Amino acid sequence: MKRKYTIILLWTSLGTTLFFFLFFNERKDLYTFMMTLLLSTMYSFVLGFGNGFINEYLNKKFPWSEATRTRAILSIISIIIGNFILVYFCNFMNYVVIQKTATIEVFFSNKYGLTNWFMINIALLITTFLHAKGFMEELKKNSRKEVVEQKLIAKSANAQFESLKNQLDPHFLFNSLNVLSSLIDENPRQAQKFTASMSKIYRYVLEQKDKELVTVEDEMEFAKTYCDLLKTRFEDSVDFTFEVHKDDYRRYVVPLSLQLLLENCIKHNFATSSKPLVIRIFSDGDTLCIENNLQVREQIKESSGIGLANIVQRYSLLTKRNVFIEKSEDYFKVKLPMLSAKPQVSSAQPDDDSEAYQKARKRMKEIKSFYSNLISYCIIIPFLIFINLYTSRGYHWFWYPALGWGVGLAFRAFKIFGIGESWQEKKIREIMNQQNNKNNEKL
């Protein structure tokens, strides 16, 4: 136990001693004060250290954040059993051993039943409050930790996205300069024309590389310009076909994705006038496809795979939909998802208005309300029992509010820590995952 906890128990013992000595003892002498101090210290430390040990043990074995439902059930059971044993021990030491006002037989008879029952409920009240306080402190700590983790995840995703986008600039420049160096020797006039066209294309690269998504229309216009550039170099060795529906022009794809895929087609396949490389760009459902006939050239140096990997990673940061790659003996095809909405990478950051945050706040309020009701139950029901037994022992009417209120609390606990909404949410997630799997299979 911590030193702070021991000091709190000492102050509690002193406060309880002064309260009982001043208001419930007729004799005001040193012996009475010391006896009251001894009994108060015994009750405070036995109940305090006993419940503290139970709480620490449960914190190690069943933390609130990892096993909330199990911990809640075990806390209730351990509080009831633990306080029943501790209170009976303290009362036994008080009345039988220290004050010697009762024998063992009398102590376990009905005469001390009300006293023991009342003390157990007082102990339950205090212990329930301490367990609820511990739960709320751990919940706040975990909430702050989760917010920090989500912010770090969001920053990491943004940094990763920026790193991926920054790969495009040098990659495009390197490949364009390679094409230009080849044209200078083969055809200087075409090299000059290529340089002018490359400046226009490079302007587009600079404008779009900082964007997360661009419209299919913009990407198609850029791809056509880039294909004209390739046509300048390869002439009849390469043919391009565009068959994208006009309705798909307002959808979104990652910028420069077509340019990277066109580069891959040229890089990995040979093209001659007798065996031209045919590249086809078309829309298929909600995907934008780029397909070429397979004429694999021998690679002296193994490909780094930066182009296709870049596209796949950028899509993974923006959507759950996948980039599909198909390869056969005759053709190679890449399917890019066309998005109807424009997601933001920064949306991974936690927000006070987010749906998840609102659900967490609602659940926190429900749990706080439950513990408030439980504490009220532990205060009011023992008081009603005392009033009932004190005024009329023959008719035990206290059972009606105790059972009615208790059943309500049980149902509330079952809803919060049992199947309730958590079961519904799990079922909804399961159905949604099944539906997503079906959609992916169709694609």
Side-chain angles (χ1 to χ4, degrees), residues 162-172 306-307 309-310 313:
E162 290 301 320
S163 175
L164 288 169
K165 289 192 295 186
N166 289 335
Q167 291 177 355
L168 298 175
D169 191 0
H171 185 65
F172 172 78
I306 186 174
N310 183 287
Q313 288 182 62

Side-chain angles (χ1 to χ4, degrees), residues 243-255:
E243 298 173 358
V244 179
H245 302 306
K246 295 291 183 181
D247 296 338
D248 296 326
Y249 273 27
R250 306 318 302 167
R251 295 189 178 188
Y252 297 93
V253 291
V254 296

Side-chain angles (χ1 to χ4, degrees), residues 311-326:
I311 295 170
V312 172
Q313 288 182 62
R314 283 193 291 155
Y315 264 108
S316 69
L317 291 172
L318 292 169
T319 179
K320 293 182 179 179
R321 294 175 58 191
N322 297 320
V323 176
F324 289 97
I325 302 169
E326 295 180 12

Side-chain angles (χ1 to χ4, degrees), residues 36-272:
T36 307
L37 179 61
L38 173 64
L39 294 174
S40 297
T41 304
M42 180 188 69
Y43 277 98
S44 298
F45 275 80
V46 170
L47 292 173
F49 278 110
N51 283 289
F53 175 78
I54 292 171
N55 194 37
E56 282 194 355
Y57 178 80
L58 291 176
N59 280 338
K60 290 178 182 178
K61 296 294 183 180
F62 306 97
W64 282 108
S65 57
E66 297 178 8
T68 306
R69 186 187 311 169
T70 305
R71 174 61 191 275
I73 295 170
L74 289 176
S75 291
I76 293 171
I77 295 172
S78 62
I79 286 171
I80 294 172
I81 296 175
N83 282 286
F84 184 87
I85 296 171
L86 293 172
V87 167
Y88 261 87
F89 172 78
C90 290
N91 284 346
F92 182 85
M93 294 297 296
N94 179 13
Y95 298 114
V96 178
V97 179
I98 298 174
Q99 298 194 66
K100 298 180 180 179
T101 57
T103 62
I104 297 176
E105 292 78 9
V106 173
F107 177 77
F108 286 104
S109 65
N110 293 331
K111 183 178 179 180
Y112 282 86
L114 179 61
T115 303
N116 290 326
W117 176 250
F118 184 75
M119 288 295 296
I120 288 171
N121 279 278
I122 295 297
L124 285 174
L125 163 66
I126 298 170
T127 309
T128 302
F129 173 76
L130 293 175
H131 276 261
K133 183 174 178 291
F135 168 75
M136 296 308 299
E137 287 176 352
E138 187 169 346
L139 185 64
K140 288 179 181 177
K141 189 192 299 181
N142 288 328
S143 297
R144 286 194 294 267
K145 183 180 177 182
E146 187 175 349
V147 168
V148 172
E149 287 177 353
Q150 290 297 322
K151 285 183 177 179
L152 289 175
I153 290 171
K155 288 180 180 179
S156 175
N158 278 322
Q160 184 182 1
F161 193 83
E162 290 301 320
S163 175
L164 288 169
K165 289 192 295 186
N166 289 335
Q167 291 177 355
L168 298 175
D169 191 0
H171 185 65
F172 172 78
L173 180 60
F174 176 77
N175 283 279
S176 298
L177 290 176
N178 276 342
V179 174
L180 181 60
S181 63
S182 300
L183 283 175
I184 289 172
D185 294 331
E186 295 175 5
N187 193 330
R189 284 189 177 181
Q190 284 188 346
Q192 189 175 8
K193 185 179 177 182
F194 184 91
T195 305
S197 299
M198 194 179 79
S199 65
K200 295 179 183 178
I201 292 174
Y202 203 80
R203 187 181 298 115
Y204 176 85
V205 172
L206 294 175
E207 289 173 354
Q208 304 298 335
K209 79 180 187 70
D210 291 327
K211 295 181 180 179
E212 294 157 2
L213 291 169
V214 294
T215 61
V216 174
E217 183 177 10
D218 289 342
E219 191 70 6
M220 287 295 297
E221 289 298 321
F222 169 73
K224 288 176 181 178
T225 305
Y226 186 71
C227 288
D228 289 340
L229 215 61
L230 294 175
K231 194 76 173 173
T232 301
R233 179 189 173 190
F234 292 100
E235 297 179 345
D236 296 334
S237 300
V238 180
D239 286 328
F240 299 98
T241 305
F242 296 91
E243 298 173 358
V244 179
H245 302 306
K246 295 291 183 181
D247 296 338
D248 296 326
Y249 273 27
R250 306 318 302 167
R251 295 189 178 188
Y252 297 93
V253 291
V254 296
L256 306 175
S257 53
L258 289 181
Q259 181 260 328
L260 286 170
L261 293 175
L262 287 168
E263 282 185 5
N264 278 350
C265 293
I266 301 297
K267 182 179 178 182
H268 298 294
N269 295 275
F270 67 86
T272 62

